[in-house]
């Protein structure tokens, strides 16, 4: 698998936060491995539905400007998030990649999860170690991404992964 371009958009309608990336992510080996592992999850698990209703002309100039496509999808998704409380805050990882000679656009919803970390505070020259709650951490690379979709631009179809579709 080869990832050509990737954007990460922060979407939290509950806090009315929409931070859209204007530049692609730097894809070092570790980040490429993280993204690749989640993409492979789409092809390894059976909870995927397929749609052949993608019209290549509707993608417009997306083949030439993936950034604009990622921004448009993030805007649409954030609008949907604002209309319901059922969609969890997330980062939307948008990827342009190739797997087995097939070109794809990927949109992976990375739901925030709660984790815990230590924090060190100094007060009156005394150290206090405590545990703090982190609510915006992303799934581990070993966890399945529950929701998202891939557009197979070579065959004009989509692979849709939704925790409600099985």
């Amino acid at each position: 698998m080869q990832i050509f371009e990737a954007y990460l958009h922060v979407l939290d309608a509950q806090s009315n936060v929409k931070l859209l990336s204007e530049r692609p992510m730097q894809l070092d080996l570790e980040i490429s491995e993280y993204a690749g592992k989640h993409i492979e999850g789409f092809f390894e698990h059976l909870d995927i539905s397929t749609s052949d209703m993608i019209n290549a002309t509707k993608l417009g100039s997306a083949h030439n400007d993936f950034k604009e496509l990622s921004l448009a999808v993030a805007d649409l998704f954030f609008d949907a998030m604002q209309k319901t409380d059922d969609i969890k805050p997330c980062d939307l990882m948008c990827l342009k990649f190739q797997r087995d000679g097939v070109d794809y656009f990927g949109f992976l919803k990375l739901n925030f999860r709660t984790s815990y970390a230590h924090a060190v505070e100094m007060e009156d020259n005394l150290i206090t170690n405590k545990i703090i709650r982190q609510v915006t951490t992303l799934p581990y690379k070993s966890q399945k991404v529950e929701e998202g979709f891939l557009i197979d631009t070579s065959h004009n179809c989509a692979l849709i992964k939704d925790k409600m579709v099985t």
Side-chain angles (χ1 to χ4, degrees), residues 54-71:
I54 302 297
N55 183 337
T57 59
K58 289 183 181 178
L59 296 176
S61 63
H63 290 279
N64 299 325
D65 196 346
F66 182 68
K67 173 187 165 185
E68 292 304 316
L69 177 63
S70 82
L71 292 169

Side-chain angles (χ1 to χ4, degrees), residues 68-85:
E68 292 304 316
L69 177 63
S70 82
L71 292 169
V73 169
D75 275 334
L76 288 170
F77 194 73
F78 188 74
D79 290 346
M81 291 174 80
Q82 289 181 311
K83 295 175 182 162
T84 180
D85 292 334

Side-chain angles (χ1 to χ4, degrees), residues 2-162:
Q2 183 176 4
I3 300 172
F4 301 111
E5 198 171 350
Y7 293 88
L8 190 69
H9 305 300
V10 179
L11 307 173
D12 183 351
Q14 295 170 356
S15 301
N16 200 31
V17 172
K18 177 175 74 169
L19 300 171
L20 303 181
S21 185
E22 297 172 325
R23 291 187 184 199
M25 286 192 301
Q26 294 294 320
L27 293 170
D28 62 19
L29 183 61
E30 199 170 341
I31 300 303
S32 292
E33 185 179 294
Y34 177 83
K37 184 77 173 169
H38 287 303
I39 290 168
E40 287 300 329
F42 270 78
F43 297 100
E44 293 172 1
H45 296 95
L46 300 176
D47 55 347
I48 295 174
S49 61
T50 305
S51 170
D52 60 359
M53 301 177 69
I54 302 297
N55 183 337
T57 59
K58 289 183 181 178
L59 296 176
S61 63
H63 290 279
N64 299 325
D65 196 346
F66 182 68
K67 173 187 165 185
E68 292 304 316
L69 177 63
S70 82
L71 292 169
V73 169
D75 275 334
L76 288 170
F77 194 73
F78 188 74
D79 290 346
M81 291 174 80
Q82 289 181 311
K83 295 175 182 162
T84 180
D85 292 334
D86 294 336
I87 303 175
K88 296 178 185 177
C90 65
D91 283 356
L92 184 65
M93 184 166 51
C94 305
L95 304 150
K96 182 178 181 179
F97 67 98
Q98 186 176 76
R99 180 181 183 268
D100 297 333
V102 178
D103 293 325
Y104 292 91
F105 298 143
F107 302 90
L108 309 182
K109 183 176 183 277
L110 305 177
N111 291 329
F112 295 159
R113 62 181 192 79
T114 300
S115 64
Y116 298 87
H118 71 266
V120 179
E121 292 182 351
M122 182 74 106
E123 185 178 324
D124 298 327
N125 288 327
L126 298 173
I127 295 174
T128 302
N129 295 322
K130 63 182 188 174
I131 296 174
I132 59 170
R133 186 171 167 241
Q134 302 280 352
V135 293
T136 59
T137 56
L138 300 176
Y140 295 118
K141 76 177 173 185
S142 60
Q143 290 178 296
K144 283 193 329 181
V145 171
E146 296 176 333
E147 301 154 300
F149 63 97
L150 305 178
I151 298 172
D152 175 341
T153 62
S154 300
H155 302 100
N156 296 325
C157 68
L159 302 172
I160 303 161
K161 186 171 177 36
D162 186 343

